[in-house]
Amino acid sequence: MNTNKNEPLAKPLRTQLENTVKSARDIAETAARAALQQLAVGEGRAPDYLNDAQRVLRRRLRAHGRSLGDAKHGDDTQELRRLVWEVAYEHWHRMLFARFLAENGLLLWEPGAAVSLQDCREMVDHHPEMAMGARSEWELAGKLAARMLPQVFKPQHPVFELVFAPEHQRELERLLSGLPPEVFQASDSLGWVYQFWQARRKDEVNASEVKIGADELPAVTQMFTEPYMVDFLLHNSLGVWWLTRHPDTPCPVPLTYLRTLEDGTPAAGKFEGWPDTLADFKLLDPCCGSGHFLVAAFLLLVPMRMTAEHLSAREAVDAVLRDNLHGLELDPRCVEIAVFALALAAWRFPDEAGQPLGVRADMPAPNIACCGLKVAARAADWMALVPDEVPNAAYLRQELRLLHDSFSQAPLLGSLLDPARSLKNDLATSSFDTLRALLERALSTERPATLWGEGNEVQIEAWDNALTARGLLDAARLLDARYHLVVTNVPYLARGKQSDALKAFCETHYPDAKNDLANVFLERCLELSQRGAAGVVQIVMPQNWLFLASYKKRNRSLSGVLCPPAPT
């Protein structure tokens, strides 16, 4: 096994991964469509040949499809496009993530008991009573991965109750088994996986020339950040912090891309406003994608905290996950990959004996939230949560309505969403604290937009409820905080390609940066950073805005806070 797991994917392996993932999407979508058609999910009525369990699954899948945006027509037929995408994505990625775990010795039958894919094969063949109903080693490995990662592979998710036809399942297994082990040990494979998965959808959207709104944004604006870009930014921020706070102690991580002046001092400055201990340091990637910046920062911060604070590897891993790293992402699928990527980095981080720390139930969950989830309840439902006896009840109900309006745009705005922007400026501190508590209550009682029960039997899937509520609430908390370092690769989208709703939002709230979404996000990143010298923003974006006349007014307002671009 390749022991250096921090090396990026070599170009030939990247090409092989790209071809595999693109083929896998085609096959998985064909398999998903066939499985859904077998259950008549898109038809107006259930066929007579379905048994009771299949009828229930059909209703659940139809409800889930509507929650994804598939339209139901007047004759009760329903579109399947988004549900096909979802089923295909989840089935393939459960298998893919299982192999990532297996190749790193992290696929567990029970705590402390790792199993290989061969072990799974033997269990399916010779001990079917223990195989959890799986028909292949890949299916069993996927079930084990789902048990280890319930926040990624939601328990009771109806898409996993679908069964692919054997010929489709075997073809997916063939593709996955054809990838060499090195793919699953490289530092950036997970990031490439989603970009390759979205490549065809991105081409379709660009070819259609449709204006880009909530449905198109994830595919069009998702862009992988090359490892050298990530390292350059972090070496010239976190690396500089180490050099200025611990000048007599070598940095425990090589700072390959550190820029210095002629006298040897860091070109980026000294970051005087940052705390002197990393226990108080907070980093945010507001467009975290599949977690590349977060994983790279993790691999810097853990050795730093081990050295500076005399922590064990396990203590430092927990401290970094708990204290330092925060991520927001519009696309819930990217959130799943980012959570997995950061958890994988933590599980395979070496202990003092050089062995992976492994999977632990008590490890802090990554602070990564989806800021693209849409509230399902009506504004009136939120307003009704304010009791009459609460001081300023009518005022608070109005504020909750404004917050509801703000959250309803989350699938379009993502990290641009700022609940505080919707509030009146004269809201008293005591009222704000009350409102925040009511907001948490509103989000904790959030319900899915579609119900899958029949007649008077109203049933709500617990996993869907929990995902929406937790995601919205976690995103609101992260958006409400301020950070010492905001680092990201911003989305690029010229004003002429934006939907009317996105265009109007940018013009209203960021008039001087409205011509491109990248510049809007620059201003949003500045808002999310700590005030003054305590807040630093590092972003990957085109340089032309520094010289364009249309940004002249905005650039004057930013003078004094901008660092010169890196030399090419």
Side-chain angles (χ1 to χ4, degrees):
M1 179 181 292
N2 178 15
T3 56
N4 190 353
K5 297 173 180 130
N6 296 330
E7 291 296 321
L9 202 59
K11 183 65 184 297
L13 291 178
R14 187 194 303 178
T15 301
Q16 186 177 358
L17 179 62
E18 179 179 7
N19 294 334
T20 298
V21 170
K22 288 180 176 179
S23 296
R25 179 163 188 173
D26 290 338
I27 295 165
E29 289 185 358
T30 298
R33 190 173 295 105
L36 292 170
Q37 289 172 347
Q38 180 68 22
L39 287 175
V41 173
E43 301 301 318
R45 63 181 296 274
D48 294 337
Y49 61 78
L50 297 183
N51 60 33
D52 289 344
Q54 290 172 324
R55 289 173 183 272
V56 169
L57 177 57
R58 176 180 176 275
R59 293 197 297 269
R60 294 172 63 198
L61 288 166
R62 283 170 66 86
H64 187 58
R66 292 194 295 274
S67 73
L68 295 171
D70 284 337
K72 181 180 178 181
H73 303 299
D75 59 357
D76 280 343
T77 59
Q78 186 168 313
E79 296 176 4
L80 294 178
R81 189 184 191 202
R82 290 176 176 82
L83 186 57
V84 166
W85 291 346
E86 175 90 349
V87 172
Y89 171 87
E90 294 291 353
H91 276 255
W92 166 253
H93 284 80
R94 185 174 66 168
M95 294 168 58
L96 187 73
F97 287 12
R99 188 164 177 204
F100 267 101
L101 293 171
E103 293 292 349
N104 287 277
L106 296 169
L107 187 64
L108 301 185
W109 178 256
E110 59 186 27
V115 294
S116 67
L117 288 170
Q118 182 59 35
D119 294 331
C120 292
R121 176 73 262 171
E122 293 180 2
M123 204 168 298
V124 169
D125 288 344
H126 304 297
H127 302 282
E129 73 282 359
M130 301 175 61
M132 304 164 64
R135 299 162 302 162
S136 71
E137 68 268 35
W138 294 106
E139 188 176 354
L140 178 55
K143 288 177 179 287
L144 294 176
R147 194 167 64 182
M148 295 168 61
L149 290 160
Q151 69 271 53
V152 175
F153 303 107
K154 279 73 64 179
Q156 303 175 4
H157 197 312
V159 303
F160 291 126
E161 296 185 34
L162 274 178
V163 177
F164 285 177
E167 63 271 20
H168 297 139
Q169 183 65 28
R170 283 195 297 268
E171 187 63 15
L172 290 174
E173 293 172 4
R174 184 192 66 79
L175 285 171
L176 188 53
S177 62
L179 290 171
E182 291 81 3
V183 167
F184 302 93
Q185 295 155 4
S187 62
D188 58 346
S189 294
L190 278 168
W192 285 115
V193 159
Y194 194 59
Q195 179 144 322
F196 296 152
W197 182 266
Q198 287 282 56
R200 189 184 68 189
R201 171 64 177 152
K202 183 175 183 178
D203 291 342
E204 289 174 354
V205 172
N206 287 334
S208 71
E209 299 185 357
V210 68
K211 298 297 184 182
I212 307 303
D215 284 346
E216 298 81 20
L217 270 172
V220 172
T221 60
Q222 179 66 220
M223 184 173 293
F224 181 82
T225 311
E226 292 280 2
Y228 78 90
M229 299 181 185
V230 176
D231 289 342
F232 178 88
L233 292 179
L234 294 178
H235 289 180
N236 287 282
S237 53
L238 293 176
V240 171
W241 177 90
W242 180 271
L243 295 177
T244 56
R245 300 317 193 272
H246 302 277
D248 299 323
T249 305
C251 183
V253 181
L255 301 176
T256 309
Y257 294 96
L258 180 70
R259 293 174 63 214
T260 59
L261 302 176
E262 291 182 0
D263 62 1
T265 59
K270 298 182 178 180
F271 298 90
E272 291 93 341
W274 282 10
D276 290 330
T277 173
L278 288 174
D280 300 320
F281 174 81
K282 293 186 181 301
L283 175 151
L284 172 71
D285 183 346
C287 317
C288 73
S290 45
H292 200 178
F293 274 104
L294 297 176
V295 171
F298 173 88
L299 295 174
L300 282 171
L301 288 166
V302 171
M304 288 179 177
R305 294 196 67 170
M306 289 174 66
T307 303
E309 302 169 41
H310 307 291
L311 301 176
S312 68
R314 175 172 174 164
E315 291 169 337
V317 163
D318 289 358
V320 169
L321 291 176
R322 182 186 61 245
D323 303 333
N324 301 135
L325 299 178
H326 307 82
L328 287 163
E329 169 57 40
L330 178 79
D331 186 346
R333 294 174 185 169
C334 273
V335 172
E336 292 178 358
I337 296 179
V339 168
F340 179 67
L342 198 51
L344 186 64
W347 292 338
R348 66 187 187 185
F349 195 87
D351 62 14
E352 287 68 19
Q355 298 301 311
L357 288 172
V359 179
R360 295 182 286 113
D362 60 345
M363 189 180 78
N367 292 308
I368 303 173
C370 181
C371 50
L373 297 173
K374 184 175 182 179
V375 296
R378 300 172 304 158
D381 295 331
W382 281 31
M383 295 168 70
L385 292 171
V386 183
D388 290 335
E389 61 271 17
V390 172
N392 302 318
Y395 188 80
L396 288 171
R397 289 188 186 112
Q398 179 68 5
E399 294 296 315
L400 272 182
R401 185 189 66 77
L402 293 172
L403 281 173
H404 182 278
D405 291 346
S406 181
F407 274 110
S408 68
Q409 298 183 76
L412 176 69
L413 302 180
S415 297
L416 295 177
L417 180 69
D418 183 2
R421 187 182 284 129
S422 301
L423 304 180
K424 295 182 173 62
N425 293 329
D426 59 349
L427 190 62
T429 301
S430 60
S431 296
F432 184 78
D433 292 340
T434 302
L435 183 61
R436 180 177 292 166
L438 288 169
L439 174 60
E440 295 200 7
R441 182 181 171 193
L443 294 176
S444 69
T445 57
E446 184 66 21
R447 294 291 186 267
T450 55
L451 309 177
W452 54 268
E454 288 187 324
N456 294 325
E457 296 293 323
V458 178
Q459 304 181 57
I460 298 178
E461 287 291 81
W463 64 265
D464 205 354
N465 179 21
L467 175 67
T468 304
R470 184 176 66 247
L472 288 169
L473 185 53
D474 289 349
R477 288 171 176 161
L478 293 181
L479 289 165
D480 192 44
R482 295 297 176 264
Y483 303 88
H484 299 99
L485 176 61
V486 180
V487 57
T488 196
N489 187 345
V490 296
Y492 313 128
L493 190 65
R495 180 173 173 81
K497 296 183 178 180
Q498 298 172 14
S499 68
D500 290 342
L502 182 57
K503 195 182 300 183
F505 177 88
C506 295
E507 184 168 8
T508 299
H509 299 288
Y510 301 98
D512 295 334
K514 64 184 181 183
N515 287 337
D516 193 284
L517 194 58
N519 282 276
V520 169
F521 262 92
L522 169 59
E523 295 204 8
R524 180 64 179 133
C525 289
L526 290 169
E527 292 173 348
L528 288 163
S529 65
Q530 295 272 4
R531 292 183 178 275
V536 173
V537 171
Q538 292 183 314
I539 57 176
V540 178
M541 65 182 295
Q543 297 184 103
N544 59 352
W545 62 273
L546 290 167
F547 317 107
L548 291 176
S550 55
Y551 292 114
K552 187 174 181 181
K553 179 180 178 182
R554 197 279 301 272
N555 292 349
R556 280 201 300 266
S557 69
L558 293 179
S559 61
V561 302
L562 293 174
C563 294
T568 56

